[in-house]
Amino acid sequence: MQPVTFGQHAPALRTIVHLSDTHLLAGDVPLGGRYDSTAGAAAALAAVERTGIRPDAIVITGDLTDLGEPAAYRRLRELVEPVADRLGAPVVWVAGNHDERPAMREGLFDIVGTEEPIIGVRDLGGLRLVALDSTVPGWHHGELGPDQLDWLRGILAQPAPLGTILALHHPPLPTHIPFFDILELQRQHELADVIAGTDVRGILAGHLHYSTSGTFAGVPVNVASATCYTMNLQRPATAVNGMDAGQSFHLVHVYPDTITHAVVPVVEAETAEHFTPEWTARMAELTAQERLEAFSRKPSR
């Protein structure tokens, strides 16, 4: 049975679960002595399953571990891969500034570890997802070197049927927080030159530990918050720091003419039951005008 379209837009063509900044430590050691990053990742993955979504991919945009420990990568696989298998979704691992390329290759890809950028392309039924590596070994700021940009230029030379989404750790956006601006993606104009006039429809990123969005070279950029800890933005910019609250991930829905990013809080809370599956089924049996009469019309006063 085909799903009923209740509004003007048909169902999304593709869906992506976008998580970021898991920051796992070996032995499930608390991050900074205070944040249970393993429990945060597990809670986020449980929340993903509760959505009922069957995504075309699960994308995790970097800082997968906090210290680049091989055991931490193995632990992350133990958490993520069973969920991905149950959902039938591939996992796209993106490197972040806290990751170490050799250990990441060995722990997540079962290949020999090297310092080469961890990049790749995945075809999601016509939607092209390109994973970039903005990490700089030995540093926390971001950069895309000339070889990687040339590689990306070659990939984008041929448009994909549903367009392209880029995923990288360091977002090409300004922030209002001084320490994040120091650790920004450098030479952003070079990336802008590469994607100008291409089929790039969106950029997924992390790094900031809070959800934000903007545009870069005319392309929407969406930053997922962290699953380990987030930034308390209820403070002056120079005093912003971490808090154990507000963890979330994004549900990304790709439509023919737009892409939406829904922020999903990682919290179990009592939820009202007004709009049940039975209610939705009743609405599906009505015509569009009947649905408006049944649900949109205000009662007379």
Side-chain angles (χ1 to χ4, degrees):
M1 180 179 177
Q2 292 294 320
V4 175
T5 299
F6 289 116
Q8 299 175 54
H9 299 278
L13 299 173
R14 301 290 179 270
T15 57
I16 295 171
V17 168
H18 176 202
L19 303 98
S20 200
D21 293 86
T22 46
H23 281 270
L24 260 63
L25 284 164
D28 297 337
V29 172
L31 181 61
R34 63 187 300 176
Y35 306 113
D36 191 340
S37 57
T38 301
L45 291 165
V48 168
E49 291 202 86
R50 287 196 297 273
T51 68
I53 193 173
R54 302 283 293 184
D56 294 282
I58 298 173
V59 180
I60 311 180
T61 49
D63 282 2
L64 309 172
T65 69
D66 193 60
L67 298 175
E69 302 161 296
Y73 288 113
R74 292 193 294 271
R75 181 70 169 113
L76 186 60
R77 283 183 77 171
E78 291 175 357
L79 296 174
V80 175
E81 289 186 345
V83 174
D85 288 344
R86 288 193 292 272
L87 297 180
V91 182
V92 178
W93 307 102
V94 178
N97 53 284
H98 278 265
D99 293 305
E100 297 294 338
R101 290 171 177 171
M104 182 174 165
R105 276 193 164 88
E106 293 170 1
L108 298 180
F109 302 103
D110 297 322
I111 59 177
V112 175
T114 70
E115 285 289 0
E116 293 300 309
I118 298 175
I119 56 180
V121 182
R122 189 174 288 270
D123 177 15
L124 305 178
L127 176 67
R128 181 166 54 198
L129 180 62
V130 180
L132 300 174
D133 187 340
S134 59
T135 68
V136 182
W139 301 82
H140 282 298
H141 68 269
E143 184 178 301
L144 295 172
D147 289 345
Q148 189 172 169
L149 290 174
D150 285 344
W151 171 83
L152 177 61
R153 186 179 289 107
I155 294 295
L156 298 178
Q158 181 66 40
L162 300 181
T164 297
I165 292 178
L166 307 181
L168 75 167
H169 183 64
H170 298 81
L173 290 177
T175 78
H176 69 288
I177 302 172
F179 71 81
F180 276 131
D181 280 343
I182 296 171
L183 304 180
E184 69 183 354
L185 180 69
Q186 299 200 350
R187 299 202 303 276
Q188 295 177 18
H189 65 281
E190 296 177 359
L191 175 61
D193 289 343
V194 171
I195 68 176
T198 69
D199 70 343
V200 174
R201 300 181 59 191
I203 299 174
L204 308 181
H207 188 50
L208 302 182
H209 288 237
Y210 67 91
S211 296
T212 190
S213 61
T215 57
F216 171 74
V219 175
V221 180
N222 280 269
V223 179
S225 186
T227 65
C228 58
Y229 68 86
T230 69
M231 289 291 126
N232 187 352
L233 301 184
Q234 300 177 51
R235 306 178 75 177
T238 55
V240 165
N241 217 313
M243 65 178 183
D244 193 6
Q247 290 89 340
S248 65
F249 61 92
H250 286 185
L251 290 182
V252 183
H253 290 84
V254 180
Y255 298 90
D257 299 318
T258 192
I259 301 175
T260 64
H261 302 257
V263 179
V264 184
V266 179
V267 61
E268 291 190 69
E270 183 178 353
T271 306
E273 297 293 344
H274 297 303
F275 305 116
T276 63
E278 292 76 19
W279 180 90
T280 303
R282 288 198 303 272
M283 290 294 110
E285 294 174 353
L286 303 178
T287 66
Q289 186 58 44
E290 288 171 337
R291 278 194 291 271
L292 287 176
E293 291 290 343
F295 190 58
S296 177
R297 184 181 292 281
K298 294 180 180 180
S300 58
R301 296 182 181 273

